[in-house]
Amino acid sequence: METNADNSILDIQNLNIEKIKKWNDEYYNNKGKRRKFYCLTMGCQMNAHDSEKIIGMLSRMGYDKTESEQDADFIIYNTCCVRENAEEKVFGKLGVLKHLKKSNPELIIALCGCMMQEDFVIEKIKKSYRYTDIIFGTFNFHKLPELLLSRIETGSQIMDIWKEHGEIAEDTDYIREFPYRASVNIMYGCNNFCTYCIVPYVRGRERSREKSDIINEVKKLVSDGVKEITLLGQNVNSYGKNLKEPVSFAQLLREVNKIDGLERIRFMTSHPKDLSDELIYAMRDCEKVCNYLHLPFQSGSSRILEKMNRRYTKEKYLSLIEKIRKEIPDIMISTDIIVGFPQETDEDFEETLDVVRKAGFSTAFTFIYSKRIGTPAAVMEGQVDDKTAHRRFDRLLEVLNDGIRRVQEPKIGKVYDVLVEKISSQEGTVSGRSTDNTLIHFNGGKELIGTTVPVKILENKTFYLIGERI
Ligand code: SAH
Ligand code: SF4
Ligand code: F3S
């Protein structure tokens, strides 16, 4: 149905949205209540941002949001397949939905996201989960209204999986999870093919959005009250290389930094192999760019890094950290770590602990290696047994947590500007983040949400700090 004419994707989308809206309005006129949708986001920030766009479409189609699956007329799971347990969770939940569908035959179940790009998943759904209604992948979620309309009109299961990307749908009409904070895609896909990782297979090749489209989107968000934006990409450091007029990520940051009214700029994820001096200087110079960098190192063993196809060594990673700290002394750095990659020995693992001890991370996301069908690592010899992987994982957490506590300790007594996000569970307190991305709880009420206030740090709880307003 797509043509290459400008805006055709969104024109078709709008047409279908209108049709479903009518269908939903009729329901409302007859029943006096609106149909409801339930959307579950199972993956990373990209996945969450896709959900915001999906929720935007559903709202425009006349659905109300519900937090309860039992209450919903339309259930959508935006899936992730980066590790096996994410997939198992989906199949587990689908079993439960079968019963819901029995008690409410009108219920429409949709599955989308990364997992749907895997052939074996589609085979399994065709065989064992025939009661699901709409299945689509990562490249065509802008087609949701069209697919839903086909489902309503035909009553049969609709499957539409693209194997690669089409035109980028410049849809900026989404519903944000937070009023003061927003994510903006700057690029899609990944070309790095780390040997353990499924993302390049399910998200396709790297492609960047035009700088002007990104700037316009950020300006629009700022005029709508957004103070903090996160620029999203699997490897933001290679942004702009494939554009007709190449732009570097550092240049993009400097441009976004000029936008009036914007307070904070964050970005993720950075790949160490592409982190240039130019980017470090841009981070240092741009006052809106936060004092925070997420820089996954995955393993401290250069031997394992090579098998992972990460294209840097332990020494290169550590010297990069040193260079960054020299230019931006108070920066907080977080990371991702995998333990139990094939052939990882105790000595390799000690190298990982060594990086943790030397780098001084403020937080870390830690994972036990998970075999992904179709990736080179899945067929490597020397897969590490579960018991060893878990032993290393527990040890890693001990060393990490000790390091994180030490990194946060010197903050006691100092004052940080906190952008308040929400009310905390403890009465009379709110929480938010300093520009270095540390979670801080302090005394205050809901009127502070969305404002930036100075807070003095009183106590270090390792994963968050406690402070008081000054
Ligand atoms: N593009 C980002 C990461 C995306 S996936 C980057 O390169 O930094 C997020 C994290 O999941 C990765 O950094 C890695 O630590 C972890 N991960 C990816 N594949 C995995 C696998 N097969 N098993 C365990 N962890 C994995
Ligand atoms: Fe996966 Fe590596 Fe790409 Fe990150 S850079 S998404 S870990 S292949
Ligand atoms: Fe993200 Fe998971 Fe897909 S980590 S890119 S949602 S596989």
Side-chain angles (χ1 to χ4, degrees):
M1 227 171 140
E2 250 82 38
T3 69
N4 285 325
D6 277 349
N7 286 327
S8 62
I9 298 179
L10 296 184
D11 286 346
I12 293 168
Q13 191 188 75
N14 283 334
L15 219 69
N16 290 315
I17 285 178
E18 275 311 308
K19 287 184 188 164
I20 296 174
K21 177 145 195 327
K22 252 189 212 147
W23 178 69
N24 275 331
D25 285 349
E26 259 165 44
Y27 180 87
Y28 176 69
N29 292 337
N30 291 335
K31 305 257 179 172
K33 59 175 186 174
R34 291 222 159 262
R35 285 202 178 92
K36 296 195 190 89
F37 76 86
Y38 171 88
C39 175
L40 179 65
T41 301
M42 309 185 86
C44 62
Q45 289 207 22
M46 301 260 178
N47 191 256
H49 191 43
D50 290 349
S51 289
E52 290 184 329
K53 294 183 179 182
I54 287 167
I55 292 171
M57 287 187 268
L58 287 166
S59 305
R60 283 158 62 207
M61 287 188 272
Y63 283 95
D64 278 351
K65 190 175 176 189
T66 169
E67 299 298 335
S68 139
E69 288 182 271
Q70 275 76 20
D71 243 14
D73 304 278
F74 181 86
I75 294 181
I76 183 161
Y77 290 168
N78 191 5
T79 61
C80 169
C81 56
V82 78
R83 283 168 293 274
E84 197 178 1
N85 51 8
E87 288 188 344
E88 280 165 1
K89 191 170 165 196
V90 173
F91 288 124
K93 287 184 75 68
L94 280 181
V96 179
L97 287 193
K98 189 173 187 176
H99 298 291
L100 261 186
K101 184 116 184 177
K102 264 200 189 127
S103 58
N104 174 14
E106 302 281 294
L107 172 66
I108 296 179
I109 301 170
L111 299 172
C112 67
C114 294
M115 203 175 145
M116 301 304 126
Q117 295 295 143
E118 294 182 291
D119 293 340
F120 87 92
V121 169
I122 294 301
E123 287 313 309
K124 201 164 164 173
I125 290 174
K126 280 183 184 158
K127 210 169 133 220
S128 313
Y129 301 91
R130 300 235 305 268
Y131 54 91
T132 53
D133 298 282
I134 304 172
I135 293 104
F136 56 102
T138 56
F139 300 116
N140 60 340
F141 65 82
H142 59 273
K143 279 184 75 181
L144 169 61
E146 182 182 327
L147 304 178
L148 177 53
L149 194 63
S150 304
R151 167 62 186 75
I152 295 166
E153 285 172 357
T154 65
S156 46
Q157 189 186 52
I158 308 288
M159 245 186 206
D160 189 13
I161 312 289
W162 293 6
K163 279 295 162 205
E164 54 186 72
H165 65 90
E167 225 181 306
I168 295 179
E170 281 299 338
D171 179 7
T172 55
D173 210 357
Y174 44 85
I175 298 208
R176 294 191 306 277
E177 203 181 333
F178 300 96
Y180 303 98
R181 223 168 70 188
S183 300
V184 174
N185 282 123
I186 63 166
M187 60 201 298
Y188 303 91
C190 180
N191 285 354
N192 289 314
F193 290 96
C194 302
T195 55
Y196 50 81
C197 183
I198 193 92
V199 171
Y201 304 88
V202 296
R203 288 268 170 181
R205 291 297 63 71
E206 196 172 285
R207 52 218 183 272
S208 299
R209 285 177 70 198
E210 290 295 336
K211 191 177 79 179
S212 54
D213 288 331
I214 297 168
I215 300 285
N216 287 340
E217 184 173 342
V218 176
K219 282 186 177 159
K220 189 176 158 208
L221 289 165
V222 170
S223 69
D224 197 30
V226 167
K227 297 187 168 170
E228 177 180 306
I229 55 143
T230 304
L231 304 173
L232 290 182
Q234 291 298 350
N235 177 15
V236 293
N237 301 345
S238 69
Y239 167 78
K241 287 186 181 152
N242 57 1
L243 287 173
K244 268 197 216 111
E245 282 177 48
V247 190
S248 68
F249 181 55
Q251 284 167 318
L252 178 72
L253 272 189
R254 287 185 190 270
E255 290 288 316
V256 177
N257 192 59
K258 287 184 200 152
I259 296 176
D260 280 340
L262 181 64
E263 282 182 21
R264 293 177 172 188
I265 305 168
R266 300 189 186 279
F267 55 86
M268 72 183 306
T269 303
S270 282
H271 194 303
K273 79 176 165 63
D274 296 314
L275 198 134
S276 63
D277 291 355
E278 188 201 4
L279 177 61
I280 299 175
Y281 302 147
M283 290 179 68
R284 179 197 61 193
D285 298 343
C286 296
E287 73 287 356
K288 292 175 187 165
V289 173
C290 290
N291 262 351
Y292 170 70
L293 178 68
H294 182 61
L295 194 64
F297 79 96
Q298 315 295 3
S299 167
S301 154
S302 298
R303 193 179 76 86
I304 295 294
L305 285 171
E306 196 180 344
K307 291 185 192 301
M308 288 176 161
N309 190 30
R310 289 291 288 181
R311 287 172 275 176
Y312 53 84
T313 58
K314 174 188 179 189
E315 291 68 33
K316 166 111 194 290
Y317 183 83
L318 285 172
S319 64
L320 192 55
I321 295 250
E322 215 172 289
K323 193 158 40 168
I324 296 163
R325 290 204 196 279
K326 197 169 145 245
E327 297 300 332
I328 314 165
D330 53 354
I331 193 165
M332 290 285 131
I333 300 175
S334 66
T335 199
D336 290 352
I337 307 169
I338 297 176
V339 300
F341 185 83
Q343 295 170 38
E344 183 189 69
T345 61
D346 281 339
E347 289 72 37
D348 292 317
F349 175 62
E350 282 303 320
E351 301 278 317
T352 296
L353 294 183
D354 192 42
V355 171
V356 170
R357 289 192 189 101
K358 287 180 174 149
F361 297 115
S362 60
T363 42
F365 301 91
T366 47
F367 309 104
I368 291 179
Y369 167 74
S370 169
K371 208 187 214 179
R372 305 288 59 216
I373 297 169
T375 62
V379 290
M380 283 181 188
E381 279 172 21
Q383 301 281 330
V384 173
D385 65 88
D386 270 6
K387 202 171 148 213
T388 309
H390 278 95
R391 177 172 48 80
R392 289 182 191 155
F393 187 77
D394 292 345
R395 176 78 187 118
L396 174 64
L397 291 190
E398 273 174 29
V399 176
L400 251 173
N401 295 349
D402 184 49
I404 293 171
R405 195 182 43 77
R406 282 170 207 252
V407 166
Q408 302 292 11
E409 196 65 16
K411 293 184 181 173
I412 291 177
K414 292 191 182 152
V415 175
Y416 290 85
D417 282 337
V418 177
L419 177 55
V420 183
E421 286 172 11
K422 53 184 178 215
I423 302 207
S424 315
S425 49
Q426 202 183 331
E427 221 190 301
T429 60
V430 289
S431 68
R433 285 176 192 270
S434 46
T435 89
D436 69 16
N437 209 31
T438 305
L439 183 62
I440 300 172
H441 293 268
F442 64 99
N443 57 310
K446 70 171 187 299
E447 69 286 353
L448 291 178
I449 293 175
T451 64
T452 306
V453 290
V455 175
K456 185 172 169 186
I457 306 305
L458 301 176
E459 216 180 317
N460 171 13
K461 297 277 192 187
T462 307
F463 305 111
Y464 62 93
L465 304 174
I466 294 178
E468 68 178 1
R469 254 183 103 184
I470 56 162

